[in-house]
Amino acid sequence: RRRAGQPGPGRTGRWGASTVAQIVSSNGSCLLNRLGQRPKRMGSRGPRGLMLLVFCLCSFCSPTRPCDVAGPARMVLEENWASSEQWTRPFANSSNMADALASLLSCHALAKSDWKRAKAEFNTLLSYQWQSGMLPKLMYSMELSRVLWLNDSLYPGPQWWWNGQTVARRLAEEGQESSSLTSGLAALPMHSTVALQMYAAQGSNSEGLDFLNEVHGRLMEWHSYLHSPPRADASDGLTLLYHPWEAELPMASSLAAQLVEGLSADSGAQLPPASVQTLPGYPGNSTYARDLGLLECLRHVNYSAPCADFLYKDVEFNAVLRRADMDLLQILTVLDESSDSGSSKKTQQIKEVQGWLSGGFPDAMFSPTLHEFQSSVATGGIGGHSGTFTPVPQSVLDITAVYGAAPIGARMRDAVFNKLLTVGVAGSFQCGPYPIPLCSCNAPSCGGSQGGEDQASWVVHNLLVARGATQNGASAVADWVTNATLLLVAGRTWPGNTSSSCSIAFSPAYSTATGAPLQAVEVNSSTLAAATTLVLLHADSPLPALDDSPLEHTTVVVLMVIELVFAFGVGLAIVSMSVALIQKLRSEGGVRQSNGLPSTTMDLVEGSLHGALDERADGSALDGINSRTSSNASGYVPLARQPASTGESHMGKAPPTTGSMCCAGTTL
């Protein structure tokens, strides 16, 4: 295939392993995995791939003791586990709360090694679902129900989310269980994707199928909420975000500040205390006041509808939802095929999910003129307002578009990978030795040359880009992003570090210039970073094959009915023929008896034998038979002596004498 100019296995057009190897080696980047695993092949089987491998081994990959990042990652998840609430806290010694995305990735990471815990945590997340179907971003334990601000979180406390309402009143209005206490923001919709991977991790074990039966109803409600107005834009089918905090966007980034720049600050809102304002990642009072102002507007409608001042179409959110829709369709298909009989309800659900997949992302978010994916924001609304959506500066959130479609169109794929890998092009993300910065290199309105959150590599975005590249056949791109992220976690200076020590740090973000962990509240003990590390170390599990017949249930029933009808017909035919034969034999017997003849051949033989017993055995018995049959009617051929032809022999003996009996012409 390579001789014919076609991409070889595992490659996608121009973004095959050889092309990526040239781009990355030009930046002096060694892509050999030094984390105790086998090196991931980057080059082709030809001389170019071999030269790259030798170049890496000789130039950068000095013999050092491999870093074990899997063991420490599991220790972080173990230390952050809150057994009383059955969830994983965001970081060590944090308040007793849970972040949905961190918990979901923890479930994914532990699905094989600790199934019981992963299942318990996933069910805990679903237990906080609202009546509307929404699954919240943040969940709090009841011990925090009266807390207005948490000293270790940039988000307001549970009491703030509900404007000082008592817990009992709020729970009564929402109709939830007494244990439910959440934020008013929607989570990143990765639930169905994680559920399918948890099922796949169980292989042919029946527990995986039982798990899908338990959770698929709540997952269907969650997706229906996201695809229904007012959450969905009826004009293009895209899902809308009500607040910038619903996107996986750091508060202190330039992009987050720009999204709320046109909003008015809530003059009556109380800013967080100094203990919160001094936390790493705090965006400043001006931006935070605008964020609180928008939250105050949403709080007045119990977060059930958007405020007219803000609507946001996020590429990453819609890409994750698109992938989750495909995985939910797979879940419903597995359940339908594994059931003993077809379910009309599941069939209807499958059609509904297929309808969601027929439009919206990715076509609605790709600009063919600018050749890029675009997130957009509106300062107006949907229901009579005249606000229009305007594009926002390019960020890594737009690069994650490859995660939401498999396969994505060639033009869209090339647009993403060109900006991800090529230096110097407009909107390039090749800004330093470490991938992938939040903002592109030459986007001054999204950071540009600024540091901090704008030029940090965020592990969750890297995970989505790596998985998206794998889904679209660009395995070399996936290996590059995966290895680079794991090296950041391991604390190796990349490239050219000769240190023999490992400085493992589980942080949600790292500097793309130095590789050092970004100063954050969760530094060194981030559940999100530890879980992402474990997920990156292993490929997604393939779905187990079902033991059921490949035929549809309806087809099997029809075939069984046809077989039974045919068998019944054959039985009736045999009975009918038997009755007809008996009647025929009886009628023939009656005719013969009326003519003085034996009714059947057996009667003839039986009568002859009985007569023979009364005669002499010297041949007179045969004469007796002839004498009794000589008076038969004309046309009946009795047993008789037949003379043999002259010279003819029988079985090598002499011709029969006149006393011999022959059966010629007689049927016995």
Side-chain angles (χ1 to χ4, degrees):
R1 295 175 63 183
R2 284 191 290 272
R3 290 193 190 99
Q6 300 177 6
R11 299 168 176 83
T12 306
R14 56 182 296 197
W15 301 113
S18 300
T19 304
V20 176
Q22 294 179 61
I23 295 173
V24 177
S25 62
S26 66
N27 294 333
S29 305
C30 174
L31 303 181
L32 190 65
N33 190 340
R34 304 189 324 236
L35 302 176
Q37 298 183 348
R38 293 179 59 188
K40 296 189 176 182
R41 188 185 66 173
M42 292 300 301
S44 64
R45 295 181 181 179
R48 181 178 299 166
L50 180 61
M51 290 175 61
L52 173 63
L53 180 60
V54 173
F55 174 73
C56 284
L57 288 173
C58 297
S59 302
F60 297 131
C61 299
S62 57
T64 57
R65 185 169 61 88
C67 294
D68 176 22
V69 294
R74 293 190 182 93
M75 289 181 60
V76 168
L77 297 183
E78 185 64 29
E79 292 173 357
N80 296 347
W81 174 247
S83 57
S84 60
E85 304 294 338
Q86 297 289 289
W87 63 37
T88 309
R89 294 173 298 177
F91 55 93
N93 301 319
S94 71
S95 299
N96 200 356
M97 59 178 291
D99 180 275
L101 180 58
S103 291
L104 285 171
L105 291 176
S106 178
C107 294
H108 189 178
L110 299 178
K112 286 186 177 180
S113 60
D114 196 344
W115 165 256
K116 184 177 180 180
R117 169 178 163 176
K119 179 182 176 182
E121 184 162 12
F122 194 90
N123 287 330
T124 298
L125 297 179
L126 295 186
S127 69
Y128 283 82
Q129 188 172 31
W130 291 22
Q131 280 189 328
S132 62
M134 188 190 81
L135 286 170
K137 179 183 181 70
L138 303 173
M139 291 138 286
Y140 304 91
S141 66
M142 287 298 296
E143 65 195 55
L144 303 175
S145 60
R146 302 263 181 195
V147 177
L148 190 63
W149 296 97
L150 300 172
N151 293 329
D152 54 2
S153 175
L154 294 173
Y155 297 103
Q159 186 75 354
W160 193 99
W161 289 105
W162 298 100
N163 196 21
Q165 299 176 17
T166 62
V167 176
R169 178 183 173 188
R170 182 257 164 177
L171 296 177
E173 290 178 352
E174 292 300 318
Q176 300 187 42
E177 300 176 358
S178 60
S179 61
S180 300
L181 197 61
T182 72
S183 69
L185 303 178
L188 192 69
M190 201 179 285
H191 302 73
S192 295
T193 299
V194 173
L196 185 63
Q197 281 303 306
M198 290 174 64
Y199 160 74
Q202 289 300 297
S204 57
N205 194 329
S206 61
E207 289 190 16
L209 197 59
D210 294 340
F211 168 72
L212 292 185
N213 272 307
E214 295 173 7
V215 304
H216 82 277
R218 288 183 177 269
L219 295 177
M220 191 67 191
E221 294 174 4
W222 170 222
H223 286 247
S224 297
Y225 164 78
L226 293 173
H227 287 286
S228 302
R231 268 292 177 179
D233 189 341
S235 63
D236 53 17
L238 297 175
T239 299
L240 302 166
L241 303 190
Y242 295 167
H243 196 280
W245 291 356
E246 289 184 328
E248 291 303 316
L249 194 62
M251 294 184 187
S253 65
S254 299
L255 181 57
Q258 182 177 342
L259 289 177
V260 295
E261 186 175 356
L263 300 180
S264 59
D266 184 6
S267 57
Q270 181 182 359
L271 289 174
S275 58
V276 176
Q277 295 183 25
T278 56
L279 290 176
Y282 184 74
N285 290 340
S286 176
T287 299
Y288 205 88
R290 289 184 174 88
D291 290 333
L292 290 182
L294 182 57
L295 281 181
E296 177 66 24
C297 177
L298 293 171
R299 189 167 57 179
H300 284 309
V301 294
N302 286 332
Y303 309 97
S304 60
C307 284
D309 292 335
F310 183 87
L311 286 173
Y312 181 42
K313 294 180 180 179
D314 181 52
V315 169
E316 184 178 62
F317 194 98
N318 281 273
V320 171
L321 178 58
R322 172 79 174 195
R323 168 71 184 273
D325 285 339
M326 293 188 288
D327 292 335
L328 178 59
L329 179 62
Q330 186 68 50
I331 289 173
L332 295 174
T333 303
V334 168
L335 293 177
D336 186 56
E337 292 178 352
S338 61
S339 60
D340 296 333
S341 59
S343 172
S344 58
K345 182 177 181 180
K346 286 191 178 63
T347 302
Q348 181 62 34
Q349 290 175 338
I350 289 174
K351 292 181 179 179
E352 187 174 0
V353 177
Q354 289 173 340
W356 298 335
L357 292 169
S358 62
F361 186 87
D363 296 331
M365 305 200 79
F366 183 75
S367 172
T369 56
L370 298 178
H371 210 54
E372 62 186 20
F373 284 93
Q374 291 182 330
S375 299
S376 56
V377 64
T379 55
I382 55 180
H385 296 278
S386 59
T388 57
F389 286 89
T390 57
V392 299
Q394 280 273 290
S395 69
V396 69
L397 277 65
D398 303 318
I399 298 297
T400 59
V402 294
Y403 179 79
I408 201 171
R411 187 178 184 185
M412 299 178 183
R413 181 191 63 238
D414 289 348
V416 170
F417 291 155
N418 184 55
K419 293 186 176 182
L420 178 63
L421 300 172
T422 309
V423 179
V425 300
S428 172
F429 285 83
Q430 276 290 332
C431 310
Y434 301 95
I436 307 166
L438 177 65
C439 296
S440 59
C441 308
N442 52 358
S445 57
C446 184
S449 60
Q450 299 179 18
E453 284 78 0
D454 294 331
Q455 292 301 312
S457 174
W458 296 83
V459 293
V460 65
H461 305 311
N462 290 3
L463 170 64
L464 298 181
V465 172
R467 285 296 194 262
T470 300
Q471 293 168 193
N472 285 280
S475 58
V477 177
D479 289 344
W480 169 54
V481 177
T482 298
N483 289 340
T485 306
L486 294 176
L487 288 173
L488 288 172
V489 173
R492 303 278 193 176
T493 302
W494 182 62
N497 182 23
T498 59
S499 173
S500 60
S501 62
C502 300
S503 302
I504 299 175
F506 294 103
S507 174
Y510 301 83
S511 170
T512 57
T514 64
L518 191 69
Q519 187 180 10
V521 179
E522 311 93 335
V523 68
N524 295 332
S525 63
S526 168
T527 294
L528 182 67
T532 300
T533 298
L534 293 175
V535 173
L536 284 172
L537 284 171
H538 304 283
D540 289 342
S541 302
L543 295 181
L546 296 176
D547 296 331
D548 294 340
S549 169
L551 297 178
E552 296 289 341
H553 298 292
T554 305
T555 305
V556 173
V557 172
V558 171
L559 291 176
M560 292 175 62
V561 171
I562 293 175
E563 182 179 0
L564 291 175
V565 170
F566 180 77
F568 186 73
V570 171
L572 287 179
I574 292 175
V575 172
S576 177
M577 293 174 62
S578 300
V579 171
L581 180 60
I582 292 174
Q583 292 177 348
K584 182 178 181 180
L585 291 176
R586 286 180 178 177
S587 62
E588 290 180 354
V591 171
R592 288 172 178 171
Q593 287 180 353
S594 63
N595 293 332
L597 299 176
S599 60
T600 63
T601 304
M602 291 304 299
D603 291 340
L604 173 63
V605 175
E606 184 179 358
S608 300
L609 292 178
H610 281 292
L613 293 176
D614 298 333
E615 302 295 337
R616 298 185 306 274
D618 58 356
S620 60
L622 297 176
D623 295 335
I625 293 176
N626 287 332
S627 65
R628 281 191 293 270
T629 59
S630 60
S631 61
N632 289 342
S634 176
Y636 179 76
V637 183
L639 295 174
R641 303 182 182 90
Q642 299 294 336
S645 301
T646 305
E648 187 179 6
S649 62
H650 294 269
M651 299 297 293
K653 299 181 181 180
T657 62
T658 57
S660 301
M661 182 177 70
C662 178
C663 305
T666 304
T667 301
L668 294 181

